[in-house]
Amino acid sequence: MVEQVRRLLEKRVGSVAELEKLRQSIVDKKDSGRTCISVCGGTACRASGAEAVVDAFVDEIERRELQVQVEMKETGCHGFCEKGPLVVIEPKKIFYQQVKPEDVAEIIAETVLGGKVIERLLYVDPVSSERITYESDVPFYKRQTRTIFGANGTIDPTNIEDYIAIGGYSALSKVLTGMKPQKVIDEVKKSGLRGRGGGGFPTGRKWQSCRDIKGAIKYVICNADEGDPGAYQDRSLLEGNPHSVLEGMIIGAYAIGSHQGYIYVRNEYPLAVRHARIAIEQAMDYGLLGENILGSGFDFTVTINKGGGAFVCGESSALMASLEGKIGEPKAKYVHMSEKGLWDSPSLLNNVKTWANVPLIINKGADWYSKIGTAGSKGTMIFSLVGNINNTGLVEVPMGITLREMIFDIGGGIPNGKKFKAVQTGGPSGGCIPEQFLDTPVDFDELTKLGSMMGSGGMIVMDEDTCMVDVAKYFVEFLKGESCGKCTPCREGINRMSEVLNAITQGKGKREDLETLEDLAGILSAGALCALGQTAANPVLSTLRYFRDEYLAHIDEKKCPAGVCRELIQYSIDPERCEGCLRCLRACPTGAIVGEKREVHTLNQGLCIKCGACYDVCKFDAVIRQ
Amino acid sequence: MAKVWIDGETSIEVEDADGVNAVSLTVDDKKVIVSAGQTVLEAVQRMNGIGNIPALCNHPAVKPYGACRICTVEVSEDGGSKFKFVAACLYSVKEGLIVKTNTEKIKKLRRGIIELMLARCPNVKRIQELAEEYGVEKPRFVLGDQDCILCGLCVRACQEIIGKSAISLVNRGIYREVAAPFYAYELTEECIGCGDCAFVCPTGAIEMGPDGRPILPKVKIPYGEIEALMKKEAATPS
Amino acid sequence: MELTLDFPKVRAIVESYTEKVDSLIDSYAGNKEQLISLLQDIQAEFNYLPQDVLIKVSQKLDIPLSQVFSVVTFFRAFTLQPRGRHLVTVCLGTACHVKGGSRLVEKMERDYGIKPGDTTEDLRFTLETVNCLGCCALGPVVVVDGKYESKMNADKLDRVLRSYK
């Protein structure tokens, strides 16, 4: 027991000087010439089998007894999710993609020991057909500015010493030894940082209003309830670099005078919860969290609370209600949460990405930070670039980059030779942006002007085969299931929008329906209690604004131009292309397809339920959908 | 000289309101002085002939909830350059506040909310009255068959006035309803059969049953989604 | 009106776990605001929230049962009905939707008669949907008992589910 206690106390860092000593000793240990292999352990790579790759490395390193020369670490998400599992070999950062467990032995033998590159595992540039060896040359990464997300690729999130080695907690040191709380807030204000959760509220101003309340218990909250479908950057940041978020929270707590923090993680992110828990435990062991942080006399503890499966709990007042053990019902925010929030006390709530920006601002300074980005939107933003795009993944770019650059230069354009149709940003509160605005810079105010919004960073690319009415319907259906039900405009209004959109997509729409949708949108934005309801009509309004002709096609001609809306499309088999392979026949759930082997198949419209299974399995493009 | 309201009908003229904890507002272009510490709805309800704010989920005996949203008004805190929509029942009066209770935008919003409520509860007298007052005719939507407008007054009355918690608002979204825990009163001893919930209900959706317990409005077929309700009924046999 | 859970075997198991329940609740030491975390622990233990346990929670934490019931019915993570042996979760995030995720949900209804939230009669499968798992490159994604299956279509789903008895 004494031994355990001694080892525990040994870890504890009692002052900034001791932290620097520890940092130096960790860095020295690392410089001893060990080759480091970093395997991406982000959820997308895990879904592609990264765990098996990790196991294979562990086995191979053990088999060859290379533990001294070679270090393998499972890191957080590297961002290039389309090409996972990803393996990066230091120090030059040789970049291998779509690695399988069978490749591991060769990687160790050829690359790690032999210094040779394995051609077939390299990334191939689709435009130049060139094989790219190093991570920094991969176009997907080259055009990014990965000031925050870059660390994911080099640290093991379950080991605090990795974070310390790359300079972690140096911002905290700087704050605790040389910056008074007001100075910290001034720096954040000067940086121009705006909330990364969706609202885009000036962060420094929020901190100031919280600090200005005298003599109250205050709370610091991290909103990790990332609910926008298609967005997973908060999750990857919390999984891959939880300490960056913690460090930001401690600095924020110090600035406003809070001693209790919460991280509210949505229920669907068990790995993020686990890594955050480990991070908190380790930070407490090392004296970087808890009582008397770094010997400064400042106390701060952090608790993790899980969500219960409600998108509305991403809204700050609903989140706080949930923290209090109640249902996630928002309340009117005529008095800000920063004055009366959790338990009616001043509460500072910020998004995961916002917290992660704080150590960077303190370390590099507000002047450096404010040089990145545009006049109204400073710094970088982490987007999840998903949908009909070649390079699906998480992207960190400076504010002000154009949508075109993001989608075509970094994203690699639209797959299968399809045409770009729209990009949806801001989740269910945002809107769809069509082709003519592709040169718009990504900026809070610019996106709002177009009828969309920055939101939490979801960027969903849609190609010509997407029906925009169906997209509007999708978001409305989503919100219908997530509305808390308290206020009439949201509960009834969203339900009725769903009713109207369903009628339109089933060919039962009328011209008056468009006016009805606009009226409902007006009721929602003026009358709804919270931001969920107030912005619920945005997807509908933006698609009406830019794709009205599609709505009219559904209403007047009872046709779905993109070939999506079930009741308005028809499947048929092209006799010229059909090879008679029986695949579609077997896939059809209602027996609507008949035909013999090597004879042209026919589709009986009367039995067809338009499920699309035949379209999916046909290898000869013989099933036509119109 | 300013008008200070003492109650719903009586007002007096005062020279100045110094020393009185009062704020001056402009309501529908008329300057008034009211006591601080109350909401816009409370202040306007006390005035005779100034301002016109309907309210459904509000009751003087319980705390305001802000669910029906029909009390929405336009206010400006910066002397009239920017206006925003707020629920009058929740928004506290402030010095220099400009309130508009009957603009075209507000009337349109109210009509919209009434249309939605009428589509949900076409047979409720109170909603029909409002519809007539604001000129809402046939809703453009599939008619429902509910009696409850989910104002939450019954739940709040039970909690705040009686001090019990026999009923609560359960489920989410359009499936939201007022219910006893597990739809069975006998599981706890919270309900004392006082009938306050039935008394305070603005639509008459709650009736007291023969067993001394209230009969709560069960969510009826929600606008054509019959299957969903049947599934729910199957999950909670009665 | 009485709600009865018609699963006698489940009842027996619950009774024999009374101690487990008590220790779970006591570990929260009467902190009312930890209600949601406690309910999550209970559900993780029993795979659903038994009515008897909820009544006990209400008594021990001094929270009115009506409020416990409100919380249980509000959050999607909680279920009052026992779940199937295997949990099938279909991702309906925007990216998966654009690639055809909803067709998989319809297939589940055709083949097993269950909609999202339902459990098959024989307690074999419970179907849930989720609004983004964060592997958008691999959509449509279906998770079965925690195992991620990527680039799914109706055919593949058949093959995968066959192995889950």
Side-chain angles (χ1 to χ4, degrees):
Chain A
M1 196 263 295
V2 175
E3 186 58 36
Q4 271 182 306
V5 172
R6 190 181 66 83
R7 261 185 282 131
L8 192 68
L9 290 176
E10 243 176 24
K11 276 196 267 185
R12 196 172 174 81
V13 173
S15 71
V16 169
E18 281 178 48
L19 177 63
E20 289 314 308
K21 240 177 66 186
L22 173 64
R23 195 195 310 283
Q24 195 55 53
S25 76
I26 300 172
V27 171
D28 288 340
K29 256 195 286 178
K30 281 186 190 292
D31 277 345
S32 58
R34 250 175 134 197
T35 310
C36 183
I37 304 172
S38 99
V39 181
C40 175
T43 315
C45 283
R46 276 170 192 247
S48 307
E51 312 240 72
V53 172
V54 167
D55 290 341
F57 269 111
V58 168
D59 290 340
E60 186 68 10
I61 292 173
E62 201 178 297
R63 192 180 72 86
R64 283 170 171 273
E65 292 178 3
L66 288 169
Q67 293 90 327
V68 178
Q69 298 104 298
V70 179
E71 182 192 5
M72 193 271 323
K73 66 166 71 141
E74 190 178 355
T75 67
C77 176
H78 287 219
F80 201 172
C81 308
E82 179 73 40
K83 297 293 179 188
L86 299 174
V87 174
V88 176
I89 309 202
E90 308 263 353
K92 296 232 211 85
K93 292 209 197 276
I94 297 174
F95 184 77
Y96 287 147
Q97 43 98 58
Q98 290 175 325
V99 174
K100 296 193 203 47
E102 304 86 81
D103 300 323
V104 168
E106 197 182 332
I107 294 177
I108 298 272
E110 295 292 306
T111 310
V112 177
L113 295 174
K116 286 194 278 221
V117 162
I118 305 172
E119 296 279 309
R120 71 163 191 290
L121 294 175
L122 293 178
Y123 174 76
V124 178
D125 186 322
V127 175
S128 65
S129 297
E130 212 189 303
R131 285 193 190 276
I132 307 212
T133 311
Y134 303 109
E135 188 190 64
S136 49
D137 294 328
V138 174
F140 177 78
Y141 289 116
K142 207 164 170 182
R143 295 195 157 85
Q144 295 186 41
T145 309
R146 309 183 82 228
T147 52
I148 295 174
F149 211 63
N152 265 31
T154 56
I155 63 176
D156 172 358
T158 60
N159 183 358
I160 190 176
E161 296 203 349
D162 271 10
Y163 183 68
I164 294 175
I166 60 165
Y169 290 106
S170 54
L172 180 61
S173 306
K174 192 170 169 185
V175 162
L176 290 176
T177 53
M179 293 174 80
K180 285 214 153 33
Q182 185 58 51
K183 179 126 191 314
V184 175
I185 298 182
D186 290 339
E187 196 73 3
V188 174
K189 276 189 197 162
K190 208 159 68 143
S191 73
L193 177 66
R194 285 170 73 169
R196 298 290 196 252
F201 192 82
T203 310
R205 211 194 306 168
K206 191 187 265 193
W207 288 30
Q208 187 70 63
S209 64
C210 207
R211 175 172 175 71
D212 288 344
I213 315 281
K214 300 272 174 276
I217 297 179
K218 301 179 189 174
Y219 298 103
V220 159
I221 305 175
C222 172
N223 187 346
D225 190 65
E226 185 174 49
D228 290 355
Y232 61 107
Q233 55 274 39
D234 288 1
R235 195 266 299 284
S236 299
L237 196 48
L238 198 56
E239 279 174 5
N241 194 353
H243 287 283
S244 65
V245 178
L246 271 180
E247 193 179 354
M249 287 175 74
I250 305 171
I251 294 173
Y254 172 81
I256 64 159
S258 157
H259 303 287
Q260 173 65 50
Y262 294 93
I263 302 182
Y264 187 88
V265 189
R266 69 186 280 228
N267 193 42
E268 293 84 346
Y269 287 171
L271 190 62
V273 171
R274 184 149 33 110
H275 285 189
R277 275 214 174 106
I278 295 173
I280 290 174
E281 220 178 277
Q282 290 183 346
M284 296 211 54
D285 284 347
Y286 280 67
L288 293 160
L289 191 63
E291 286 175 20
N292 194 15
I293 296 176
L294 285 176
S296 67
F298 177 63
D299 303 334
F300 182 61
T301 38
V302 177
T303 312
I304 298 180
N305 273 59
K306 290 200 304 197
F311 172 77
V312 70
C313 284
E315 198 274 344
S316 59
S317 61
L319 192 156
M320 295 185 202
S322 173
L323 280 175
E324 293 176 11
K326 307 191 191 116
I327 57 174
E329 224 182 50
K331 53 182 202 229
K333 293 202 279 202
Y334 305 138
V335 176
H336 288 296
M337 294 289 112
S338 49
E339 290 175 51
K340 275 198 155 145
L342 188 60
W343 305 114
D344 271 346
S345 302
S347 308
L348 181 58
L349 181 140
N350 276 131
N351 172 269
V352 171
K353 302 185 286 293
T354 315
W355 288 121
N357 269 280
V358 171
L360 192 68
I361 291 173
I362 299 294
N363 268 331
K364 298 271 188 100
D367 288 329
W368 172 88
Y369 190 86
S370 57
K371 286 202 183 58
I372 307 171
T374 66
S377 310
K378 299 290 181 198
T380 60
M381 176 67 171
I382 305 173
F383 288 98
S384 66
L385 195 55
V386 297
N388 300 120
I389 189 119
N390 272 317
N391 296 337
T392 316
L394 297 175
V395 172
E396 182 176 353
V397 289
M399 295 281 199
I401 192 175
T402 64
L403 288 166
R404 194 185 296 279
E405 284 175 78
M406 278 212 61
I407 295 168
F408 292 97
D409 295 344
I410 299 178
I414 319 291
N416 303 324
K418 298 279 183 183
K419 262 191 70 186
F420 170 86
K421 188 162 184 185
V423 62
Q424 206 276 345
T425 69
S429 302
C432 300
I433 301 171
E435 190 183 0
Q436 61 260 43
F437 298 110
L438 273 175
D439 292 303
T440 310
V442 166
D443 167 284
F444 282 104
D445 307 307
E446 291 294 320
L447 291 177
T448 308
K449 266 194 255 173
L450 291 176
S452 181
M453 62 188 259
M454 177 86 68
S456 184
M459 192 169 276
I460 303 158
V461 182
M462 298 168 177
D463 70 10
E464 59 191 85
D465 289 339
T466 313
C467 169
M468 300 315 287
V469 186
D470 179 69
V471 167
K473 187 178 95 165
Y474 166 81
F475 281 113
V476 168
E477 293 291 333
F478 171 77
L479 288 173
K480 183 170 134 182
E482 297 294 338
S483 164
C484 77
K486 175 172 172 179
C487 74
T488 310
C490 175
R491 182 188 68 240
E492 304 294 328
I494 293 180
N495 184 36
R496 298 307 186 175
M497 277 206 300
S498 151
E499 198 181 283
V500 171
L501 285 169
N502 269 300
I504 295 177
T505 56
Q506 285 165 22
K508 302 190 197 128
K510 312 182 288 288
R511 279 285 181 127
E512 303 86 78
D513 288 342
L514 296 184
E515 194 189 326
T516 307
L517 284 173
E518 279 161 6
D519 283 348
L520 286 169
I523 299 171
L524 278 162
S525 68
L529 180 115
C530 77
L532 187 155
Q534 286 158 4
T535 58
N538 283 357
V540 176
L541 286 176
S542 70
T543 50
L544 272 174
R545 183 168 161 184
Y546 300 121
F547 300 96
R548 205 178 184 90
D549 49 306
E550 269 189 73
Y551 280 88
L552 292 175
H554 284 72
I555 292 175
D556 296 337
E557 300 163 48
K558 313 293 182 213
K559 272 205 165 337
C560 176
V564 170
C565 296
R566 178 101 4 131
E567 276 78 358
L568 307 180
I569 56 172
Q570 207 178 62
Y571 286 99
S572 56
I573 299 176
D574 184 349
E576 310 267 303
R577 291 217 178 123
C578 177
E579 299 280 331
C581 69
L582 296 177
R583 252 194 212 97
C584 58
L585 196 144
R586 289 200 197 104
C588 177
T590 57
I593 300 181
V594 291
E596 298 298 319
K597 203 167 183 185
R598 280 189 277 273
E599 280 182 20
V600 167
H601 300 337
T602 45
L603 200 152
N604 179 346
Q605 294 298 334
L607 291 172
C608 177
I609 56 165
K610 327 270 178 79
C611 70
C614 55
Y615 188 82
D616 284 339
V617 300
C618 179
K619 294 205 191 297
F620 303 104
D621 284 338
V623 178
I624 303 173
R625 180 174 65 194
Q626 65 204 100
Chain B
M1 290 293 272
K3 217 178 190 149
V4 176
W5 293 90
I6 302 179
D7 62 25
E9 286 168 347
T10 324
S11 69
I12 53 172
E13 298 283 336
V14 289
E15 281 274 332
D16 68 347
D18 264 13
V20 175
N21 191 14
V23 292
S24 54
L25 318 169
T26 313
V27 178
D28 288 349
D29 299 322
K30 296 192 177 66
K31 279 198 154 32
V32 289
I33 297 185
V34 301
S35 3
Q38 60 181 324
T39 63
V40 169
L41 182 66
E42 284 172 324
V44 171
Q45 276 175 340
R46 291 200 169 96
M47 302 176 198
N48 232 345
I50 304 180
N52 163 35
I53 307 181
L56 280 169
C57 70
N58 191 267
H59 195 284
V62 294
K63 288 203 253 235
Y65 191 43
C68 69
R69 314 304 291 179
I70 207 167
C71 69
T72 306
V73 294
E74 288 193 74
V75 298
S76 170
E77 294 173 356
D78 57 8
S81 43
K82 249 179 45 180
F83 278 87
K84 59 183 181 183
F85 292 99
V86 298
C89 65
L90 291 171
Y91 194 86
S92 299
V93 294
K94 292 191 179 74
E95 177 64 40
L97 191 70
I98 303 178
V99 181
K100 290 190 190 287
T101 73
N102 234 353
T103 61
E104 282 312 309
K105 280 195 211 164
I106 297 286
K107 283 195 255 198
K108 186 162 183 214
L109 175 63
R110 282 189 199 151
R111 275 198 298 271
I113 294 176
I114 293 167
E115 182 184 357
L116 287 172
M117 284 200 174
L118 196 61
R120 179 192 163 88
C121 312
N123 303 314
V124 168
K125 196 155 142 302
R126 182 84 182 86
I127 305 294
Q128 288 168 348
E129 285 169 5
L130 275 170
E132 211 184 300
E133 188 185 334
Y134 283 90
V136 176
E137 296 187 5
K138 190 166 178 297
R140 295 170 277 187
F141 313 110
V142 175
L143 291 184
D145 184 23
Q146 313 273 2
D147 292 327
C148 174
I149 59 169
L150 290 175
C151 65
L153 277 171
C154 50
V155 174
R156 281 178 286 149
C158 187
Q159 284 174 2
E160 294 174 35
I161 302 175
I162 311 297
K164 291 293 205 173
S165 191
I167 52 177
S168 62
L169 287 158
V170 307
N171 297 329
R172 199 161 85 183
I174 55 165
Y175 300 111
R176 186 171 240 225
E177 56 175 331
V178 179
F182 297 93
Y183 303 92
Y185 290 105
E186 56 272 23
L187 283 174
T188 68
E189 281 154 21
E190 290 288 304
C191 179
I192 57 173
C194 67
D196 206 19
C197 52
F199 179 76
V200 91
C201 173
T203 63
I206 303 179
E207 283 171 5
M208 292 310 281
D211 59 349
R213 296 283 163 78
I215 304 173
L216 296 173
K218 211 120 166 51
V219 167
K220 294 177 197 152
I221 300 172
Y223 329 120
E225 287 172 297
I226 298 171
E227 293 152 278
L229 179 70
M230 277 170 65
K231 177 193 118 193
K232 206 158 72 77
E233 301 260 56
T236 57
S238 49
Chain C
M1 271 192 291
E2 207 183 289
L3 178 80
T4 48
L5 293 169
D6 203 16
F7 301 97
K9 271 203 194 141
V10 171
R11 267 245 144 101
I13 297 172
V14 168
E15 273 158 11
S16 77
Y17 271 93
T18 317
E19 286 159 41
K20 183 90 211 196
V21 170
D22 282 339
S23 72
L24 265 175
I25 300 178
D26 291 338
S27 70
Y28 282 86
N31 276 336
K32 290 183 195 191
E33 65 265 22
Q34 296 283 323
L35 174 65
I36 295 173
S37 300
L38 170 59
L39 291 174
Q40 282 164 340
D41 284 355
I42 295 174
Q43 172 139 328
E45 179 64 38
F46 295 107
N47 212 20
Y48 77 112
L49 291 172
Q51 182 182 310
D52 307 27
V53 177
L54 290 177
I55 294 175
K56 206 166 223 183
V57 167
S58 151
Q59 288 163 348
K60 285 198 156 206
L61 253 61
D62 195 27
I63 303 175
L65 186 62
S66 63
Q67 288 181 32
V68 175
F69 192 59
S70 284
V71 168
V72 166
T73 53
F74 183 88
F75 290 104
R76 192 171 284 141
F78 300 131
T79 173
L80 291 164
Q81 301 297 316
R83 296 199 136 170
R85 288 187 296 281
H86 307 291
L87 180 62
V88 179
T89 309
V90 179
C91 179
L92 287 185
T94 321
C96 285
H97 173 79
V98 152
K99 292 188 188 183
S102 28
R103 292 208 286 270
L104 293 170
V105 173
E106 288 161 20
K107 182 187 168 53
M108 288 300 290
E109 193 183 350
R110 280 198 305 272
D111 293 352
Y112 296 96
I114 50 176
K115 282 190 146 113
D118 293 341
T119 302
T120 53
E121 286 272 328
D122 56 3
L123 292 185
R124 183 175 166 204
F125 292 121
T126 295
L127 176 64
E128 292 286 355
T129 57
V130 77
N131 282 317
C132 191
L133 291 161
C135 341
C136 309
L138 310 162
V141 173
V142 177
V143 187
V144 187
D145 284 353
K147 188 157 174 280
Y148 284 67
E149 307 285 349
S150 51
K151 301 209 165 104
M152 289 299 269
N153 56 37
D155 220 25
K156 273 178 156 181
L157 189 59
D158 265 336
R159 273 182 276 131
V160 164
L161 291 184
R162 220 171 291 154
S163 61
Y164 289 90
K165 296 280 173 264

